[in-house]
Amino acid sequence: MTPRSPSLLFVCLGNICRSPLAEGALRHAAQRHGLDLTLDPAGTGDWHVGQPPDPRAIAAARRNGVDISGLRARQVTADDFTRFDHLIALDRQNLADLRRLAPAGATARLSLLNDHVPGREGQGVADPYTGTAADFDQTWAEVTAAAAGLVRVLS
Ligand code: 4NP
C-alpha cells in the first residue's frame, strides 16, 4: 500500500495573506523536490470566508512564479484536527487559538511555522495586512525559508 502523503494545514488569522503565501511557497518547493504533500490554508477568523487571497499576496506570489489566486478563504474546523497530520500556525496568537479550539481526540501536531526554521523557533510571521507591497515580499521571504525547512524534514 502506498502511504498517504503528509498533510499540512497552514493557519493564520484572516486566511487571505500569510497562510495562502505559506501554502504557495511549500507547494512550489515540494514540486521542485518531487515531494507529494496535501496542503491547505485556513484562518481562525471568518471575516474573509469565500474570498480569494489579498491582491497584494497574489501579486507577491506571482512575482516569485507562484499562482495562489485560486485559493478561497475558509475557517478552521474541528475536523481539521484529525484530517491533517500537521496544523502549522503563522504566529503565536494563531497557535494559542488552535490549542484552544482543539477538540478531544485531536491527532494533528501543532507547531509554529518558524519552528521549522533553524534559529527562528518560537517566532511568529508578522501580519502584512496593514502594510505595503514590501511587507508582502518580506512575508514571502519568511514563508519560503520555512518551506525549505519543511521540505528537508518531510523528504
Ligand atoms: P492574515 O492577515 O491573517 O495573514 O490573512 C489578515 C487579514 C485580514 C485580517 C486580519 C489579518 N482582518 O482582520 O480582516
CSV table of all heavy atoms in Angstrom, one decimal, residues 73-139:
chain,number,residue,atom,x,y,z
A,73,ALA,N,-10.8,31.6,1.0
A,73,ALA,CA,-10.6,31.5,2.4
A,73,ALA,C,-11.7,30.7,3.1
A,73,ALA,O,-12.8,30.6,2.7
A,73,ALA,CB,-10.7,33.0,3.0
A,74,ARG,N,-11.2,30.0,4.1
A,74,ARG,CA,-12.2,29.2,4.9
A,74,ARG,C,-11.7,29.3,6.4
A,74,ARG,O,-10.5,29.6,6.7
A,74,ARG,CB,-12.3,27.8,4.5
A,74,ARG,CG,-11.0,26.9,4.8
A,74,ARG,CD,-11.3,25.5,4.4
A,74,ARG,NE,-10.2,24.5,4.7
A,74,ARG,CZ,-10.0,23.9,5.9
A,74,ARG,NH1,-10.8,24.2,6.9
A,74,ARG,NH2,-9.1,23.1,6.0
A,75,GLN,N,-12.6,28.9,7.3
A,75,GLN,CA,-12.2,28.9,8.7
A,75,GLN,C,-11.8,27.5,9.2
A,75,GLN,O,-12.3,26.5,8.6
A,75,GLN,CB,-13.5,29.4,9.5
A,75,GLN,CG,-13.1,29.9,10.9
A,75,GLN,CD,-14.3,30.6,11.6
A,75,GLN,OE1,-15.5,30.4,11.1
A,75,GLN,NE2,-14.1,31.3,12.6
A,76,VAL,N,-10.9,27.5,10.1
A,76,VAL,CA,-10.5,26.2,10.7
A,76,VAL,C,-11.8,25.5,11.3
A,76,VAL,O,-12.6,26.1,11.8
A,76,VAL,CB,-9.5,26.4,11.8
A,76,VAL,CG1,-9.2,25.1,12.5
A,76,VAL,CG2,-8.2,27.0,11.3
A,77,THR,N,-11.8,24.1,11.1
A,77,THR,CA,-12.9,23.4,11.6
A,77,THR,C,-12.4,22.3,12.6
A,77,THR,O,-11.2,22.0,12.6
A,77,THR,CB,-13.7,22.6,10.5
A,77,THR,OG1,-12.9,21.6,10.0
A,77,THR,CG2,-14.2,23.6,9.4
A,78,ALA,N,-13.3,21.8,13.4
A,78,ALA,CA,-12.9,20.7,14.3
A,78,ALA,C,-12.3,19.5,13.6
A,78,ALA,O,-11.3,18.9,14.0
A,78,ALA,CB,-14.1,20.3,15.2
A,79,ASP,N,-12.9,19.2,12.4
A,79,ASP,CA,-12.4,18.1,11.6
A,79,ASP,C,-10.9,18.2,11.2
A,79,ASP,O,-10.2,17.2,11.0
A,79,ASP,CB,-13.2,17.9,10.3
A,79,ASP,CG,-14.5,17.3,10.5
A,79,ASP,OD1,-14.8,16.8,11.7
A,79,ASP,OD2,-15.3,17.2,9.6
A,80,ASP,N,-10.5,19.5,11.0
A,80,ASP,CA,-9.1,19.7,10.6
A,80,ASP,C,-8.1,19.1,11.6
A,80,ASP,O,-7.0,18.7,11.2
A,80,ASP,CB,-8.8,21.2,10.5
A,80,ASP,CG,-9.5,21.8,9.3
A,80,ASP,OD1,-9.7,21.1,8.2
A,80,ASP,OD2,-9.9,23.0,9.4
A,81,PHE,N,-8.5,19.0,12.8
A,81,PHE,CA,-7.6,18.5,13.9
A,81,PHE,C,-7.3,17.0,13.8
A,81,PHE,O,-6.5,16.4,14.4
A,81,PHE,CB,-8.1,18.8,15.3
A,81,PHE,CG,-7.9,20.3,15.6
A,81,PHE,CD1,-8.9,21.2,15.2
A,81,PHE,CD2,-6.8,20.8,16.3
A,81,PHE,CE1,-8.8,22.6,15.4
A,81,PHE,CE2,-6.7,22.1,16.5
A,81,PHE,CZ,-7.7,23.0,16.1
A,82,THR,N,-8.2,16.3,12.9
A,82,THR,CA,-7.9,14.9,12.7
A,82,THR,C,-7.6,14.6,11.2
A,82,THR,O,-6.9,13.6,10.9
A,82,THR,CB,-9.1,14.0,13.1
A,82,THR,OG1,-10.3,14.6,12.6
A,82,THR,CG2,-9.2,13.9,14.6
A,83,ARG,N,-8.1,15.4,10.3
A,83,ARG,CA,-7.9,15.2,8.9
A,83,ARG,C,-6.4,15.5,8.5
A,83,ARG,O,-5.9,14.9,7.6
A,83,ARG,CB,-8.7,16.2,8.1
A,83,ARG,CG,-10.2,15.7,7.9
A,83,ARG,CD,-11.0,16.7,7.1
A,83,ARG,NE,-10.4,17.0,5.8
A,83,ARG,CZ,-10.3,18.2,5.2
A,83,ARG,NH1,-10.7,19.2,5.9
A,83,ARG,NH2,-9.7,18.3,4.1
A,84,PHE,N,-5.8,16.5,9.2
A,84,PHE,CA,-4.4,16.9,8.8
A,84,PHE,C,-3.4,16.3,9.8
A,84,PHE,O,-3.7,16.2,11.0
A,84,PHE,CB,-4.3,18.4,8.8
A,84,PHE,CG,-5.0,19.0,7.6
A,84,PHE,CD1,-6.3,19.3,7.6
A,84,PHE,CD2,-4.3,19.2,6.4
A,84,PHE,CE1,-7.0,19.9,6.5
A,84,PHE,CE2,-4.9,19.7,5.3
A,84,PHE,CZ,-6.3,20.1,5.3
A,85,ASP,N,-2.2,15.9,9.3
A,85,ASP,CA,-1.1,15.5,10.2
A,85,ASP,C,-0.6,16.6,11.0
A,85,ASP,O,-0.2,16.5,12.1
A,85,ASP,CB,0.0,14.9,9.3
A,85,ASP,CG,-0.4,13.7,8.5
A,85,ASP,OD1,-1.2,12.9,9.0
A,85,ASP,OD2,0.0,13.6,7.3
A,86,HIS,N,-0.5,17.8,10.3
A,86,HIS,CA,0.2,19.0,10.9
A,86,HIS,C,-0.7,20.2,10.8
A,86,HIS,O,-1.2,20.5,9.6
A,86,HIS,CB,1.5,19.3,10.3
A,86,HIS,CG,2.5,18.2,10.4
A,86,HIS,ND1,3.3,18.1,11.5
A,86,HIS,CD2,2.8,17.2,9.6
A,86,HIS,CE1,4.1,17.0,11.4
A,86,HIS,NE2,3.8,16.5,10.2
A,87,LEU,N,-1.0,20.9,11.8
A,87,LEU,CA,-1.6,22.3,11.8
A,87,LEU,C,-0.5,23.2,12.1
A,87,LEU,O,0.1,23.2,13.2
A,87,LEU,CB,-2.7,22.4,12.8
A,87,LEU,CG,-4.1,22.1,12.2
A,87,LEU,CD1,-4.2,20.7,11.5
A,87,LEU,CD2,-5.2,22.2,13.4
A,88,ILE,N,-0.1,24.1,11.2
A,88,ILE,CA,1.1,25.0,11.3
A,88,ILE,C,0.6,26.4,11.4
A,88,ILE,O,0.1,27.0,10.4
A,88,ILE,CB,2.0,24.7,10.2
A,88,ILE,CG1,2.4,23.2,10.2
A,88,ILE,CG2,3.3,25.6,10.3
A,88,ILE,CD1,3.5,22.8,9.2
A,89,ALA,N,0.8,27.0,12.6
A,89,ALA,CA,0.3,28.4,12.8
A,89,ALA,C,1.3,29.4,12.4
A,89,ALA,O,2.6,29.2,12.5
A,89,ALA,CB,0.0,28.6,14.3
A,90,LEU,N,0.8,30.5,11.8
A,90,LEU,CA,1.8,31.5,11.3
A,90,LEU,C,2.3,32.4,12.5
A,90,LEU,O,3.4,32.9,12.4
A,90,LEU,CB,1.1,32.4,10.3
A,90,LEU,CG,1.2,31.9,8.8
A,90,LEU,CD1,2.6,32.1,8.3
A,90,LEU,CD2,0.8,30.4,8.7
A,91,ASP,N,1.5,32.6,13.5
A,91,ASP,CA,2.1,33.4,14.7
A,91,ASP,C,1.6,32.8,16.0
A,91,ASP,O,0.8,31.8,16.0
A,91,ASP,CB,1.8,34.9,14.5
A,91,ASP,CG,0.3,35.2,14.7
A,91,ASP,OD1,-0.5,34.5,15.4
A,91,ASP,OD2,-0.1,36.3,14.2
A,92,ARG,N,2.1,33.4,17.1
A,92,ARG,CA,1.9,32.8,18.4
A,92,ARG,C,0.4,32.8,18.8
A,92,ARG,O,-0.1,31.9,19.5
A,92,ARG,CB,2.8,33.4,19.4
A,92,ARG,CG,4.2,33.1,19.1
A,92,ARG,CD,5.2,34.1,19.7
A,92,ARG,NE,5.1,34.1,21.1
A,92,ARG,CZ,6.1,33.7,21.9
A,92,ARG,NH1,7.2,33.2,21.3
A,92,ARG,NH2,6.0,33.7,23.2
A,93,GLN,N,-0.3,33.9,18.4
A,93,GLN,CA,-1.7,34.0,18.7
A,93,GLN,C,-2.5,32.9,17.9
A,93,GLN,O,-3.4,32.3,18.5
A,93,GLN,CB,-2.3,35.4,18.3
A,93,GLN,CG,-3.7,35.6,18.7
A,93,GLN,CD,-4.0,35.4,20.2
A,93,GLN,OE1,-3.3,36.1,21.0
A,93,GLN,NE2,-4.9,34.6,20.6
A,94,ASN,N,-2.1,32.7,16.7
A,94,ASN,CA,-2.8,31.6,15.9
A,94,ASN,C,-2.6,30.3,16.6
A,94,ASN,O,-3.5,29.5,16.7
A,94,ASN,CB,-2.2,31.5,14.5
A,94,ASN,CG,-2.3,32.8,13.7
A,94,ASN,OD1,-1.4,33.1,12.9
A,94,ASN,ND2,-3.3,33.7,13.9
A,95,LEU,N,-1.4,30.1,17.1
A,95,LEU,CA,-1.1,28.8,17.8
A,95,LEU,C,-1.9,28.7,19.1
A,95,LEU,O,-2.5,27.6,19.4
A,95,LEU,CB,0.4,28.7,18.1
A,95,LEU,CG,0.9,27.4,18.7
A,95,LEU,CD1,0.6,26.2,17.8
A,95,LEU,CD2,2.4,27.5,19.0
A,96,ALA,N,-2.0,29.8,19.8
A,96,ALA,CA,-2.8,29.7,21.1
A,96,ALA,C,-4.3,29.5,20.7
A,96,ALA,O,-4.9,28.7,21.4
A,96,ALA,CB,-2.6,31.1,21.8
A,97,ASP,N,-4.7,30.1,19.6
A,97,ASP,CA,-6.1,29.9,19.2
A,97,ASP,C,-6.4,28.4,18.8
A,97,ASP,O,-7.4,27.8,19.2
A,97,ASP,CB,-6.5,30.8,18.1
A,97,ASP,CG,-6.7,32.3,18.5
A,97,ASP,OD1,-6.9,32.5,19.7
A,97,ASP,OD2,-6.5,33.2,17.7
A,98,LEU,N,-5.4,27.8,18.1
A,98,LEU,CA,-5.6,26.4,17.7
A,98,LEU,C,-5.6,25.5,19.0
A,98,LEU,O,-6.4,24.6,19.0
A,98,LEU,CB,-4.4,26.0,16.8
A,98,LEU,CG,-4.5,26.5,15.4
A,98,LEU,CD1,-3.2,26.1,14.6
A,98,LEU,CD2,-5.7,26.1,14.7
A,99,ARG,N,-4.7,25.8,19.9
A,99,ARG,CA,-4.7,25.0,21.2
A,99,ARG,C,-6.1,25.1,21.9
A,99,ARG,O,-6.6,24.1,22.4
A,99,ARG,CB,-3.6,25.5,22.1
A,99,ARG,CG,-2.2,25.1,21.5
A,99,ARG,CD,-1.2,25.1,22.6
A,99,ARG,NE,0.1,24.6,22.1
A,99,ARG,CZ,1.2,25.3,22.0
A,99,ARG,NH1,1.3,26.6,22.4
A,99,ARG,NH2,2.3,24.8,21.5
A,100,ARG,N,-6.7,26.3,21.8
A,100,ARG,CA,-8.0,26.5,22.5
A,100,ARG,C,-9.1,25.8,21.7
A,100,ARG,O,-10.0,25.2,22.3
A,100,ARG,CB,-8.2,28.0,22.5
A,100,ARG,CG,-9.5,28.4,23.2
A,100,ARG,CD,-9.5,30.0,23.3
A,100,ARG,NE,-9.3,30.7,22.1
A,100,ARG,CZ,-10.1,30.8,21.1
A,100,ARG,NH1,-11.3,30.3,21.2
A,100,ARG,NH2,-9.8,31.4,20.0
A,101,LEU,N,-9.0,25.7,20.4
A,101,LEU,CA,-10.0,25.2,19.5
A,101,LEU,C,-9.9,23.6,19.4
A,101,LEU,O,-10.9,23.0,18.9
A,101,LEU,CB,-9.9,25.8,18.1
A,101,LEU,CG,-10.3,27.2,17.9
A,101,LEU,CD1,-9.8,27.8,16.6
A,101,LEU,CD2,-11.8,27.5,18.1
A,102,ALA,N,-8.8,23.1,19.8
A,102,ALA,CA,-8.5,21.6,19.5
A,102,ALA,C,-9.6,20.8,20.3
A,102,ALA,O,-9.8,20.9,21.5
A,102,ALA,CB,-7.2,21.2,20.0
A,103,PRO,N,-10.3,19.9,19.5
A,103,PRO,CA,-11.3,19.1,20.2
A,103,PRO,C,-10.7,17.9,20.8
A,103,PRO,O,-9.6,17.6,20.5
A,103,PRO,CB,-12.2,18.7,19.0
A,103,PRO,CG,-11.3,18.6,17.8
A,103,PRO,CD,-10.3,19.7,18.0
A,104,ALA,N,-11.5,17.3,21.7
A,104,ALA,CA,-11.0,16.0,22.3
A,104,ALA,C,-10.7,15.0,21.2
A,104,ALA,O,-11.5,15.0,20.2
A,104,ALA,CB,-12.1,15.4,23.2
A,105,GLY,N,-9.6,14.3,21.2
A,105,GLY,CA,-9.3,13.3,20.2
A,105,GLY,C,-8.5,13.9,19.0
A,105,GLY,O,-8.3,13.2,18.0
A,106,ALA,N,-8.1,15.2,19.1
A,106,ALA,CA,-7.3,15.8,18.1
A,106,ALA,C,-6.0,15.0,17.9
A,106,ALA,O,-5.4,14.6,18.9
A,106,ALA,CB,-7.0,17.2,18.4
A,107,THR,N,-5.6,14.7,16.7
A,107,THR,CA,-4.4,14.0,16.4
A,107,THR,C,-3.3,14.8,15.7
A,107,THR,O,-2.2,14.4,15.7
A,107,THR,CB,-4.7,12.7,15.6
A,107,THR,OG1,-5.5,13.2,14.4
A,107,THR,CG2,-5.5,11.7,16.4
A,108,ALA,N,-3.7,15.9,15.1
A,108,ALA,CA,-2.8,16.7,14.4
A,108,ALA,C,-1.7,17.3,15.3
A,108,ALA,O,-2.0,17.6,16.5
A,108,ALA,CB,-3.5,17.9,13.6
A,109,ARG,N,-0.5,17.4,14.8
A,109,ARG,CA,0.6,18.0,15.6
A,109,ARG,C,0.5,19.5,15.3
A,109,ARG,O,0.4,20.0,14.2
A,109,ARG,CB,1.9,17.5,15.1
A,109,ARG,CG,2.2,16.1,15.6
A,109,ARG,CD,3.7,15.9,15.5
A,109,ARG,NE,4.0,14.5,15.3
A,109,ARG,CZ,5.1,14.0,14.8
A,109,ARG,NH1,6.0,14.8,14.4
A,109,ARG,NH2,5.2,12.7,14.7
A,110,LEU,N,0.6,20.3,16.4
A,110,LEU,CA,0.5,21.8,16.3
A,110,LEU,C,1.9,22.3,16.4
A,110,LEU,O,2.7,21.9,17.2
A,110,LEU,CB,-0.3,22.4,17.4
A,110,LEU,CG,-1.8,21.8,17.5
A,110,LEU,CD1,-2.5,22.7,18.6
A,110,LEU,CD2,-2.5,21.8,16.2
A,111,SER,N,2.3,23.3,15.5
A,111,SER,CA,3.6,23.9,15.6
A,111,SER,C,3.4,25.3,15.0
A,111,SER,O,2.4,25.7,14.4
A,111,SER,CB,4.6,23.1,14.9
A,111,SER,OG,4.3,23.1,13.5
A,112,LEU,N,4.5,26.1,15.3
A,112,LEU,CA,4.6,27.4,14.6
A,112,LEU,C,5.4,27.2,13.3
A,112,LEU,O,6.4,26.5,13.3
A,112,LEU,CB,5.4,28.3,15.5
A,112,LEU,CG,4.8,29.3,16.4
A,112,LEU,CD1,5.9,30.1,17.1
A,112,LEU,CD2,3.8,30.3,15.7
A,113,LEU,N,5.1,28.0,12.3
A,113,LEU,CA,5.8,27.9,11.0
A,113,LEU,C,7.3,28.0,11.3
A,113,LEU,O,8.1,27.2,10.8
A,113,LEU,CB,5.3,28.9,10.0
A,113,LEU,CG,5.9,28.8,8.6
A,113,LEU,CD1,5.4,27.5,7.9
A,113,LEU,CD2,5.7,30.0,7.8
A,114,ASN,N,7.7,29.0,12.1
A,114,ASN,CA,9.1,29.3,12.2
A,114,ASN,C,9.8,28.3,13.1
A,114,ASN,O,11.0,28.3,13.2
A,114,ASN,CB,9.3,30.7,12.8
A,114,ASN,CG,9.4,31.7,11.6
A,114,ASN,OD1,9.9,31.4,10.5
A,114,ASN,ND2,9.1,33.0,11.9
A,115,ASP,N,9.0,27.4,13.8
A,115,ASP,CA,9.7,26.3,14.5
A,115,ASP,C,10.5,25.4,13.5
A,115,ASP,O,11.3,24.6,13.9
A,115,ASP,CB,8.7,25.4,15.2
A,115,ASP,CG,8.1,26.1,16.4
A,115,ASP,OD1,8.7,27.1,16.9
A,115,ASP,OD2,7.1,25.6,16.9
A,116,HIS,N,10.1,25.5,12.2
A,116,HIS,CA,10.8,24.7,11.2
A,116,HIS,C,11.9,25.4,10.5
A,116,HIS,O,12.5,24.9,9.5
A,116,HIS,CB,9.7,24.2,10.2
A,116,HIS,CG,8.5,23.6,10.8
A,116,HIS,ND1,8.6,22.3,11.2
A,116,HIS,CD2,7.3,24.1,11.2
A,116,HIS,CE1,7.4,22.0,11.8
A,116,HIS,NE2,6.7,23.0,11.8
A,117,VAL,N,12.3,26.6,11.1
A,117,VAL,CA,13.4,27.3,10.5
A,117,VAL,C,14.5,27.4,11.6
A,117,VAL,O,14.3,28.1,12.7
A,117,VAL,CB,13.0,28.8,10.1
A,117,VAL,CG1,14.2,29.5,9.5
A,117,VAL,CG2,11.8,28.7,9.2
A,118,PRO,N,15.6,26.7,11.4
A,118,PRO,CA,16.7,26.8,12.5
A,118,PRO,C,17.0,28.2,12.9
A,118,PRO,O,17.3,29.1,12.0
A,118,PRO,CB,17.9,26.1,11.8
A,118,PRO,CG,17.2,25.2,10.7
A,118,PRO,CD,16.0,25.9,10.3
A,119,GLY,N,17.0,28.5,14.2
A,119,GLY,CA,17.3,29.8,14.7
A,119,GLY,C,16.1,30.7,14.8
A,119,GLY,O,16.2,31.8,15.4
A,120,ARG,N,15.0,30.3,14.3
A,120,ARG,CA,13.8,31.2,14.4
A,120,ARG,C,12.7,30.5,15.2
A,120,ARG,O,11.5,31.0,15.1
A,120,ARG,CB,13.2,31.5,13.0
A,120,ARG,CG,14.1,32.5,12.2
A,120,ARG,CD,13.3,33.2,11.1
A,120,ARG,NE,14.2,33.7,10.1
A,120,ARG,CZ,13.8,33.9,8.8
A,120,ARG,NH1,12.5,33.7,8.5
A,120,ARG,NH2,14.6,34.3,8.0
A,121,GLU,N,13.0,29.5,15.9
A,121,GLU,CA,12.0,28.7,16.6
A,121,GLU,C,11.2,29.7,17.6
A,121,GLU,O,11.9,30.5,18.2
A,121,GLU,CB,12.6,27.6,17.4
A,121,GLU,CG,13.3,26.5,16.6
A,121,GLU,CD,14.8,26.8,16.3
A,121,GLU,OE1,15.2,28.0,16.5
A,121,GLU,OE2,15.5,25.9,15.8
A,122,GLY,N,10.0,29.5,17.7
A,122,GLY,CA,9.2,30.3,18.6
A,122,GLY,C,8.7,31.7,18.1
A,122,GLY,O,8.0,32.4,18.8
A,123,GLN,N,9.2,32.1,16.9
A,123,GLN,CA,8.9,33.4,16.4
A,123,GLN,C,7.7,33.4,15.4
A,123,GLN,O,7.6,32.5,14.6
A,123,GLN,CB,10.1,34.0,15.7
A,123,GLN,CG,11.3,34.2,16.6
A,123,GLN,CD,12.5,34.8,15.8
A,123,GLN,OE1,12.3,35.4,14.8
A,123,GLN,NE2,13.7,34.5,16.3
A,124,GLY,N,6.9,34.4,15.5
A,124,GLY,CA,5.8,34.5,14.6
A,124,GLY,C,6.2,35.2,13.3
A,124,GLY,O,7.2,35.8,13.2
A,125,VAL,N,5.3,35.0,12.2
A,125,VAL,CA,5.5,35.7,11.0
A,125,VAL,C,4.5,36.9,11.1
A,125,VAL,O,3.3,36.8,11.3
A,125,VAL,CB,5.1,34.8,9.8
A,125,VAL,CG1,5.1,35.6,8.5
A,125,VAL,CG2,6.0,33.6,9.7
A,126,ALA,N,5.1,38.1,11.0
A,126,ALA,CA,4.3,39.3,11.1
A,126,ALA,C,3.2,39.4,10.1
A,126,ALA,O,3.4,39.0,8.9
A,126,ALA,CB,5.2,40.6,11.0
A,127,ASP,N,2.1,40.0,10.5
A,127,ASP,CA,0.9,40.1,9.6
A,127,ASP,C,1.2,41.3,8.7
A,127,ASP,O,1.3,42.5,9.1
A,127,ASP,CB,-0.3,40.4,10.5
A,127,ASP,CG,-1.6,40.3,9.7
A,127,ASP,OD1,-1.5,40.3,8.4
A,127,ASP,OD2,-2.7,40.2,10.3
A,128,PRO,N,1.2,41.1,7.4
A,128,PRO,CA,1.4,42.2,6.4
A,128,PRO,C,0.2,43.0,6.0
A,128,PRO,O,0.2,43.9,5.2
A,128,PRO,CB,2.0,41.5,5.2
A,128,PRO,CG,1.3,40.2,5.2
A,128,PRO,CD,1.1,39.8,6.6
A,129,TYR,N,-1.0,42.6,6.6
A,129,TYR,CA,-2.3,43.1,6.1
A,129,TYR,C,-2.4,44.6,6.1
A,129,TYR,O,-2.9,45.2,5.1
A,129,TYR,CB,-3.4,42.5,7.0
A,129,TYR,CG,-4.8,42.8,6.6
A,129,TYR,CD1,-5.3,42.5,5.3
A,129,TYR,CD2,-5.7,43.4,7.5
A,129,TYR,CE1,-6.6,42.8,4.9
A,129,TYR,CE2,-7.0,43.7,7.1
A,129,TYR,CZ,-7.4,43.4,5.8
A,129,TYR,OH,-8.7,43.6,5.5
A,130,THR,N,-1.8,45.3,7.1
A,130,THR,CA,-1.9,46.7,7.1
A,130,THR,C,-0.6,47.3,6.5
A,130,THR,O,-0.4,48.5,6.7
A,130,THR,CB,-2.1,47.2,8.6
A,130,THR,OG1,-1.0,46.7,9.4
A,130,THR,CG2,-3.4,46.8,9.2
A,131,GLY,N,0.2,46.5,5.9
A,131,GLY,CA,1.5,47.0,5.4
A,131,GLY,C,1.5,47.3,3.9
A,131,GLY,O,0.4,47.6,3.3
A,132,THR,N,2.7,47.3,3.3
A,132,THR,CA,2.9,47.7,1.9
A,132,THR,C,3.3,46.4,1.1
A,132,THR,O,3.5,45.3,1.7
A,132,THR,CB,4.1,48.6,1.9
A,132,THR,OG1,5.3,47.9,2.3
A,132,THR,CG2,3.9,49.9,2.7
A,133,ALA,N,3.5,46.6,-0.2
A,133,ALA,CA,4.0,45.5,-1.1
A,133,ALA,C,5.3,45.0,-0.5
A,133,ALA,O,5.5,43.8,-0.6
A,133,ALA,CB,4.1,46.0,-2.5
A,134,ALA,N,6.1,45.9,0.0
A,134,ALA,CA,7.4,45.4,0.5
A,134,ALA,C,7.2,44.4,1.7
A,134,ALA,O,8.0,43.5,1.9
A,134,ALA,CB,8.3,46.6,1.0
A,135,ASP,N,6.2,44.7,2.5
A,135,ASP,CA,5.9,43.8,3.7
A,135,ASP,C,5.4,42.4,3.1
A,135,ASP,O,5.8,41.4,3.7
A,135,ASP,CB,4.8,44.4,4.6
A,135,ASP,CG,5.3,45.7,5.2
A,135,ASP,OD1,6.4,45.7,5.8
A,135,ASP,OD2,4.6,46.7,5.1
A,136,PHE,N,4.7,42.4,2.1
A,136,PHE,CA,4.3,41.1,1.5
A,136,PHE,C,5.5,40.4,0.9
A,136,PHE,O,5.5,39.2,1.0
A,136,PHE,CB,3.2,41.4,0.4
A,136,PHE,CG,1.8,41.5,1.0
A,136,PHE,CD1,1.4,42.8,1.6
A,136,PHE,CD2,0.9,40.5,1.1
A,136,PHE,CE1,0.2,43.0,2.1
A,136,PHE,CE2,-0.3,40.6,1.7
A,136,PHE,CZ,-0.7,41.9,2.2
A,137,ASP,N,6.4,41.1,0.3
A,137,ASP,CA,7.7,40.5,-0.1
A,137,ASP,C,8.4,39.9,1.0
A,137,ASP,O,9.0,38.8,0.9
A,137,ASP,CB,8.5,41.5,-0.9
A,137,ASP,CG,8.0,41.8,-2.3
A,137,ASP,OD1,7.2,40.9,-2.8
A,137,ASP,OD2,8.3,42.8,-2.8
A,138,GLN,N,8.4,40.6,2.2
A,138,GLN,CA,9.1,40.1,3.4
A,138,GLN,C,8.4,38.8,3.9
A,138,GLN,O,9.1,37.8,4.2
A,138,GLN,CB,9.1,41.2,4.5
A,138,GLN,CG,9.5,40.7,5.8
A,138,GLN,CD,11.0,40.3,5.9
A,138,GLN,OE1,11.8,40.8,5.0
A,138,GLN,NE2,11.4,39.4,6.8
A,139,THR,N,7.1,38.8,3.8
A,139,THR,CA,6.3,37.6,4.2
A,139,THR,C,6.7,36.5,3.3
A,139,THR,O,6.9,35.3,3.8
A,139,THR,CB,4.8,37.9,4.2
A,139,THR,OG1,4.5,39.0,5.0
A,139,THR,CG2,4.0,36.7,4.7
